[in-house]
Amino acid sequence: MHKLMIRETTIEDLENVLNLWNDGDVMKFVGFPNGLGVDLNHLKEQWFPTVNKNIRRKHYSIYHEDLGYCGESFYSVHDNLKCALDIKLLVKARGKGIAYKALKHAINEAFTIGKALAVYVDPNKQNEKAIALYKKLGFIEHKHPSKEVGINHYYFEIRYNDWLTKKEG
């Protein structure tokens, strides 16, 4: 295994995903300071059958040869060809450049395989490290297209042509 391995999530990854989602430190910025409280049966029967079934929605598990399982990233391309993107990392994996590499991977996949025209994130305004990471990747703040999002979140987007320019530069 290379230092970092990012691959589509399989049934064998579900216990790791379960532990990630039930970790309050991981989930605090998405509104679940005590974790999601999901169980393995839910993941196996409800969630897993819906992931990685087509090119427009992919979930990745992130591993590091020294750290083991580090977290997840995913993308989901909507009918308007805008793509939701997210990443969650365990504490042990933060501050090591893993999120940057994993997000670059997911963004590339969303544009090349998922055929998205734009990728967006909506980080909690208190998640300063995530915001800095998104800006480093070239995301630009925009007015949120939905009025349903609370005042606690930003909306950042990067369009395909801007991503190509960023990658080449």
Side-chain angles (χ1 to χ4, degrees):
M1 172 169 50
H2 296 95
K3 273 262 190 226
L4 192 64
M5 183 177 73
I6 304 163
R7 62 176 169 81
E8 286 186 23
T9 298
T10 66
I11 195 94
E12 289 79 22
D13 298 308
L14 292 189
E15 283 193 40
N16 288 323
V17 173
L18 176 75
N19 292 331
L20 183 78
W21 289 4
N22 287 333
D23 184 325
D25 185 70
V26 170
M27 301 302 288
K28 67 184 173 192
F29 287 120
V30 291
F32 297 94
N34 298 315
L36 284 180
V38 296
D39 62 39
L40 197 53
N41 283 336
H42 172 81
L43 287 182
K44 285 181 179 177
E45 296 170 14
Q46 303 292 317
W47 180 76
F48 187 71
T50 68
V51 299
N52 298 332
K53 300 302 178 203
N54 66 63
I55 63 170
R56 294 180 71 180
R57 185 169 188 249
K58 295 292 180 180
H59 187 275
Y60 302 100
S61 289
I62 305 162
Y63 291 87
H64 186 277
E65 70 180 348
D66 297 330
L67 301 171
Y69 180 78
C70 295
E72 68 177 12
S73 62
F74 83 88
Y75 74 81
S76 180
V77 181
H78 306 299
D79 289 338
N80 64 1
L81 299 182
K82 285 197 175 188
C83 177
L85 179 78
D86 196 19
I87 188 165
K88 292 178 185 64
L89 292 181
L90 294 167
V91 171
K92 68 180 181 181
R94 296 179 195 160
K96 296 172 175 42
I98 294 171
Y100 182 84
K101 290 174 185 170
L103 282 171
K104 276 183 67 172
H105 174 81
I107 294 165
N108 281 328
E109 297 280 298
F111 284 135
T112 59
I113 295 172
K115 306 299 182 199
L117 297 178
V119 174
Y120 71 88
V121 292
D122 58 351
N124 185 301
K125 289 183 177 181
Q126 295 177 343
N127 195 347
E128 295 171 4
K129 289 183 180 180
I131 292 163
L133 173 61
Y134 297 137
K135 288 180 178 179
K136 181 178 177 182
L137 284 161
F139 283 81
I140 298 168
E141 185 178 359
H142 291 272
K143 184 177 187 287
H144 201 291
S146 170
K147 293 180 181 177
E148 296 175 16
V149 171
I151 58 172
N152 296 329
H153 292 266
Y154 289 114
Y155 177 86
F156 291 99
E157 186 176 284
I158 188 164
R159 294 181 177 114
Y160 180 64
N161 289 337
D162 295 331
W163 179 249
L164 290 177
T165 303
K166 172 90 172 136
K167 269 181 52 174
E168 293 167 2

